[in-house]
Amino acid sequence: MSVEKVETLIIGGGQAGLAMSEHLSKRSLSHLIVERHRIAERWRSERWDSLVANGPAWHDRFSNMTFAGIDPDSFASKDRIVAYFEAYAEQIAAPIRCGVEVNALRKKPNGSGFVAETSQGVIEPTNVVAATGPFQRPIIPAVVPANAGIVQIHSAAYRNPGQLPAGAVLVVGAGSSGAQIADELQRAGKRVYLSIGPHDRPPRSYRGKDFVWWLGALGHWDARAVEPGMEHVTISVSGAYGGHTVDFRRLAARGMTLLGRAESFQDGMMRFAPDLARNISRGDANYFSVLDAADAYVAKNGLDLPEEPEARRLEPDPDCMTNPVLDIDLAKAGVTSIVWATGYALDFSWVKFDAFDEKGRPLHQRGVSTVPGFYFLGLPWLSRRASSFIWGVSHDAEYLADHIARRGSAGKV
Ligand SMILES: Cc1cc2nc3c(=O)[nH]c(=O)nc-3n(C[C@H](O)[C@H](O)[C@H](O)COP(=O)(O)OP(=O)(O)OC[C@H]3O[C@@H](n4cnc5c(N)ncnc54)[C@H](O)[C@@H]3O)c2cc1C
């Protein structure tokens, strides 16, 4: 069997893999990207049909390429995002080989370099960048048994309302995916129950500026660590229907039943924690904290941005908040399907050496792992809040490219 030698192997052809390629090319460092499917595959086949970017086109992009043919303040559709990454790969002449999956990565026995067993043969790189994404394996909590007579899918498998059977639907999870999917299902005429856990719920825009602009102005994109205790809070934002603030009270006013966290299921009864009001008020607190910080910033810097007092008005609490529903007989309520928008886990089972802590989390400093020559890129908070966003990943890729350059082709550092 022939063995191919490369200096740096990048695994994954999403935004992180492309950003890495660009910065290695800028330093004339030879490399190869392998992607098991196609460029930006997650956007093509692992998201719902109507998905648009959560951030506006002027922001959610690489610094050296704009989105062609759309209003910079609009939210790019997933098809446009795919086209953007394809065009970007062409612009930077990325050496990418699609349809090649890395099944196992091992360290060479003599300690210098790696052996990648791929679906197309063996590759021996000096360095490896794992750019396989922050959202790798969909998680469905083991709450409702598969034989309960209810269609259950993860948000990664949700495509559109027509895919679900007739009847009501329970959406579990109210981060960006769950909130957007529940909204879409309700607009399509379905009876929707939405189970809401702790979340952040920033305003889409305030005083004429999008939330992502405020994150920049307030220095939050550059935040280097998640605040203690805030590690697992999902963020609920939406670019759908032209972009709007996620507002659970408004969804309830349109007929959606809001519930606390889904806890258990027995004999057809689904039970929910009595934490809905607390979770919503925590989301409100996050919302108002952004308004307060923005107002303080405007005052401090003497900016001329229009005041927006109506942003501080909340809709009345719906009945399901004041009289929480703690259990539902799913059959009686006509619930025939559940969409689990409950997030993703990392999956580095293909890495056959130890680069992880006891919980399986990657051990690294700004993406430089504990194994010389092995790097992580694109993980949430790899170096700062922006790390897993389209434009932020480039900053981390630049740092890793410098590190790889210092190692040299013999892999000495
Ligand atoms: C619903 C939703 C909306 C989002 N909206 C936005 C947004 O508006 N703006 C934004 O900036 N981010 C957004 N994100 C985040 C964005 O999708 C991810 O951060 C982004 O896809 C990460 O890019 P990546 O290159 O790091 O990983 P991925 O896009 O996951 O790419 C990794 C690639 O690696 C490949 N791969 C994996 N394992 C292997 C292997 N063993 N061998 C070969 N190839 C492999 C995969 O096929 C994949 O193509 C959103 C995420 C979700 C879930």
Side-chain angles (χ1 to χ4, degrees), residues 356-361 363:
F356 306 91
D357 70 10
E358 66 290 348
K359 288 189 173 158
R361 291 173 301 204
L363 285 167

Side-chain angles (χ1 to χ4, degrees), residues 228-378:
M230 302 289 278
E231 285 80 356
H232 300 299
V233 177
T234 184
I235 180 165
S236 203
V237 290
S238 180
Y241 315 107
H244 59 278
T245 302
V246 173
D247 184 340
F248 296 113
R249 290 179 181 82
R250 199 163 293 159
L251 292 175
R254 287 191 346 226
M256 195 178 291
T257 300
L258 311 181
L259 305 154
R261 283 164 64 104
E263 276 190 333
S264 62
F265 175 87
Q266 202 178 7
D267 301 330
M269 292 295 281
M270 189 96 177
R271 295 192 194 287
F272 301 89
D275 60 358
L276 175 65
R278 190 168 70 237
N279 295 337
I280 294 214
S281 86
R282 180 187 175 150
D284 295 342
N286 165 259
Y287 172 86
F288 286 117
S289 75
V290 177
L291 304 193
D292 292 345
D295 284 341
Y297 182 87
V298 168
K300 184 171 167 219
N301 295 286
L303 299 187
D304 184 18
L305 294 178
E307 290 191 13
E308 199 183 332
E310 64 279 16
R312 292 191 176 268
R313 249 168 258 137
L314 292 179
E315 307 258 332
D317 287 352
D319 185 53
C320 52
M321 260 177 89
T322 43
N323 297 304
V325 178
L326 299 182
D327 42 38
I328 295 179
D329 182 324
L330 294 185
K332 275 199 190 138
V335 173
T336 54
S337 59
I338 302 178
V339 178
W340 295 95
T342 34
Y344 298 79
L346 294 175
D347 182 0
F348 287 109
S349 52
W350 49 273
V351 178
K352 305 295 181 193
F353 49 82
D354 193 14
F356 306 91
D357 70 10
E358 66 290 348
K359 288 189 173 158
R361 291 173 301 204
L363 285 167
H364 69 90
Q365 289 267 343
R366 290 186 69 176
V368 179
S369 87
T370 47
V371 175
F374 183 57
Y375 302 87
F376 296 102
L377 182 62

Side-chain angles (χ1 to χ4, degrees), residues 5-10 20 24 29-33 124-129 373 375 404:
K5 308 250 181 202
V6 302
E7 227 161 81
T8 298
L9 181 67
I10 301 168
M20 193 68 236
L24 289 174
L29 293 171
S30 127
H31 61 280
L32 172 70
I33 310 174
E124 291 193 352
T126 309
N127 308 299
V128 174
V129 180
Y375 302 87
I404 290 170

Side-chain angles (χ1 to χ4, degrees), residues 353-403:
F353 49 82
D354 193 14
F356 306 91
D357 70 10
E358 66 290 348
K359 288 189 173 158
R361 291 173 301 204
L363 285 167
H364 69 90
Q365 289 267 343
R366 290 186 69 176
V368 179
S369 87
T370 47
V371 175
F374 183 57
Y375 302 87
F376 296 102
L377 182 62
L379 302 179
W381 294 91
L382 189 91
S383 73
R384 54 193 189 136
R385 180 198 270 255
S387 287
S388 59
F389 290 82
I390 297 171
W391 63 279
V393 76
S394 188
H395 173 270
D396 291 337
E398 193 170 11
Y399 178 81
L400 295 189
D402 281 339
H403 199 279

Side-chain angles (χ1 to χ4, degrees), residues 11-18 34-43 46-48 51-56 60-61 81 85 100-104 131-136 176-177 180 344 347 350 377-379 387-391 393:
I11 305 175
Q15 65 205 34
L18 295 177
V34 287
E35 161 58 50
R36 64 183 166 191
H37 300 306
R38 296 164 290 179
I39 289 173
E41 186 62 38
R42 306 264 193 225
W43 293 95
E46 296 182 33
R47 306 277 186 267
W48 60 95
L51 176 69
V52 299
N54 280 334
D60 277 28
R61 64 178 180 87
I81 293 172
F85 285 130
V100 181
E101 176 156 18
V102 174
N103 298 318
T132 49
F135 304 118
Q136 295 171 6
S176 299
S177 299
Q180 290 182 32
Y344 298 79
D347 182 0
W350 49 273
L377 182 62
L379 302 179
S387 287
S388 59
F389 290 82
I390 297 171
W391 63 279
V393 76

